[in-house]
Amino acid sequence: MRRATMYDHRRLGRELDLFDTDPLMGAGLPYWLPDGAIVRHELEEYVRGVERAAGYRHVYSPVLGKRELYEVSGHWSHYSDDMFPPMRLGGEEVVLRPSLCPHHALIYRSRSHSYRELPLRMAEVGGMYRAELSGVLGGLTRVRSIQLNDAHVFCTPDQAVEEARDALRLIRRAYADLGIRAARFRLSLPGEGGKYVAGEELWERATGMLREVLDADGVPYEAVAGEAAFYGPKIDVQVVDSAGREATLSTVQIDFHQPERFGLWYVGADGARHRPVMVHRSVIGSVERAVAQLVEEHGGAFPVWLAPVQLVVLPVAEEQRAEAEALVRRALALGLRVESVGPEGGSLGARIRGARLVPYQAVIGAREAGGGQVAVRLRDGRRVGVMSGEELLRRVGERVAARGGALWEGGA
């Protein structure tokens, strides 16, 4: 319970000025403060970068769609309880989208495609909205306004297993980079009732493909009925928060349903039209839930590249302020996030304690100022010596670029 008290993202996120809410905005609609916006931006840029390297191309699509769009996709008949009600717009009804996949299906459908273009990997960090009940809302983990790291791979049936396997590997690599621990992997299957689309043969085929993905990489998993998407089975990567609550962060899904509903096709080597398979994939899930998990995993002591402030410069006395400000300017010019806290912030010890979550602290006293140097402390309490400001900035820049967990070269 001590960890839950210390690392609850709802408490720590507000203490660190990452996010907050306001009754006038509404429950489940958090806003991001400047430091939280930095974490979110860096996280989004990270995932865009790994997606580009994996052959994804990014799009933007609107957060509204006509009700008819979700009737075609199946969301209206199978998922409308979780959607916001339609809004009248002239003679039409429009809806805040509950997912991005129908929009991506339309983007694919807007152009003709040859088998030579496949797999076509389409990604977006986009907004969507879920009509969550007030009783289940909490912090960033259950919200009504969601920024989803989503992607859809349109491929031939023969390519689907490999694409899903690559997607799962991308998720596992991202977790290693971010320091997120997966609690378990779940194969989510349909349950009883009318929540799921018909087509037993296609469900079995998609399930067999996902089992092949998990087995090929030796990933232990549990099969759970009743947790599938309405249109197909999925691999869910589960995480646990500081209070022991489990939630899904990332997913991989194989979908035969929506390509059929939207009439998607590609021209095969035989010159005929064929139906593609749609692989749904989210590396970090919703940005909100990912940030909540990062806050709790790291206790606010983010990896260097994610930290809202990466370096704090601490002049011991007013006489060293000019040297401190010069170092700040050089750090800013290199793209580092840096602040200076002078004597007006209290004693040196108090300022060091106040910057306890900042990865690097550069102390400048009379001796250091005279030699153009800084005394470097790490947030874990280590003192790594006196060095030139240029040397410190070079080392910090290397740690940022490496996007690793180590604070210092060759160390933890």
Side-chain angles (χ1 to χ4, degrees):
M1 290 304 294
R2 178 171 172 78
R3 184 179 187 272
T5 301
M6 292 176 62
Y7 290 169
D8 186 325
H9 85 276
R10 294 168 296 182
R11 179 187 64 81
L12 198 53
R14 287 178 169 87
E15 286 183 7
L16 299 177
D17 288 333
L18 301 179
F19 68 91
D20 213 329
T21 57
D22 191 289
L24 283 177
M25 291 189 191
L29 300 171
Y31 59 85
W32 298 87
L33 293 161
D35 281 355
I38 288 172
V39 176
R40 171 177 162 173
H41 175 81
E42 291 296 323
L43 187 60
E44 290 179 0
E45 286 304 298
Y46 163 78
V47 78
R48 287 189 183 102
V50 297
E51 285 172 341
R52 283 193 296 270
Y56 288 82
R57 301 190 69 184
H58 292 91
V59 298
Y60 289 107
S61 57
V63 298
L64 291 171
K66 290 172 63 175
R67 171 177 166 169
E68 181 184 357
L69 170 61
Y70 306 104
E71 291 174 342
V72 173
S73 70
H75 284 82
W76 192 253
S77 57
H78 295 279
Y79 200 73
S80 58
D81 288 346
D82 296 298
M83 296 170 62
F84 282 94
M87 296 173 280
R88 297 293 304 180
L89 189 62
E92 299 178 338
E93 287 186 324
V94 295
V95 182
L96 286 167
R97 67 179 175 191
S99 66
L100 281 68
C101 43
H103 289 72
H104 287 187
L106 292 183
I107 293 173
Y108 176 90
R109 195 175 74 176
S110 69
R111 304 288 188 275
S112 60
H113 301 280
S114 162
Y115 72 96
R116 292 186 177 89
E117 300 173 58
L118 305 185
L120 189 156
R121 306 180 185 99
M122 187 184 304
E124 179 176 1
V125 178
M128 66 182 196
Y129 297 83
R130 302 276 172 89
E132 299 280 10
L133 298 176
S134 298
V136 302
L137 298 173
L140 296 177
T141 55
R142 291 294 289 270
V143 294
R144 289 170 171 160
S145 173
I146 302 164
Q147 291 295 316
L148 186 68
N149 157 234
D150 206 8
H152 299 92
V153 181
F154 301 88
C155 61
T156 69
D158 290 343
Q159 295 168 333
V161 168
E162 190 62 29
E163 288 300 312
R165 187 180 181 187
D166 287 346
L168 186 59
R169 289 174 175 173
L170 199 61
I171 291 168
R172 298 175 77 185
R173 173 194 159 185
Y175 280 34
D177 288 347
L178 295 166
I180 293 176
R181 292 169 291 178
R184 67 182 178 122
F185 294 83
R186 186 178 74 191
L187 178 60
S188 295
L189 305 174
E192 300 295 329
K195 175 183 174 181
Y196 307 98
V197 298
E200 183 177 349
E201 181 182 344
L202 293 180
W203 277 94
E204 290 179 356
R205 186 178 179 191
T207 299
M209 288 177 163
L210 292 179
R211 287 189 186 275
E212 184 177 345
V213 168
L214 291 161
D215 292 339
D217 279 4
V219 178
Y221 65 92
E222 301 171 55
V224 180
E227 296 294 338
F230 72 84
Y231 48 79
K234 57 195 174 93
I235 297 170
D236 288 325
V237 185
Q238 303 296 103
V239 295
V240 174
D241 70 9
S242 59
R245 294 179 293 252
E246 184 177 297
T248 301
L249 186 59
S250 310
T251 63
V252 180
Q253 307 165 38
I254 290 181
D255 178 10
F256 292 98
H257 171 74
Q258 290 192 70
E260 179 72 28
R261 297 279 293 195
F262 283 100
L264 306 185
W265 55 271
Y266 65 92
V267 177
D270 58 359
R273 291 187 176 189
H274 299 269
R275 188 78 67 208
V277 177
M278 203 168 167
V279 177
H280 304 238
R281 181 247 67 192
S282 182
V283 171
I284 58 168
S286 78
V287 173
E288 290 81 7
R289 186 169 288 178
V291 171
Q293 193 68 24
L294 286 166
V295 170
E296 299 202 355
E297 291 278 2
H298 298 292
F302 295 107
V304 177
W305 62 277
L306 270 177
V309 179
Q310 295 162 327
L311 169 65
V312 63
V313 183
L314 304 171
V316 173
E318 190 64 31
E319 290 75 17
Q320 290 89 50
R321 187 179 294 275
E323 287 82 359
E325 290 178 350
L327 182 60
V328 167
R329 288 193 295 271
R330 294 201 299 275
L332 289 172
L334 293 172
L336 299 176
R337 297 188 289 274
V338 58
E339 291 181 356
S340 176
V341 182
E344 72 282 356
S347 68
L348 179 61
R351 286 180 279 154
I352 289 172
R353 290 190 296 274
R356 68 190 184 283
L357 296 179
V358 177
Y360 307 101
Q361 302 165 0
V363 178
I364 304 177
R367 180 179 302 176
E368 289 81 20
Q373 296 183 311
V374 296
V376 182
R377 303 172 63 106
L378 309 184
R379 69 176 167 211
D380 59 13
R382 283 182 290 163
R383 303 185 185 192
V384 294
V386 176
M387 63 192 68
S388 68
E390 286 73 15
E391 175 68 8
L392 171 62
L393 298 183
R394 181 187 68 79
R395 286 175 174 262
V396 173
E398 288 176 351
R399 293 296 90 205
V400 172
R403 281 193 168 134
L407 284 176
W408 206 246
E409 186 177 356

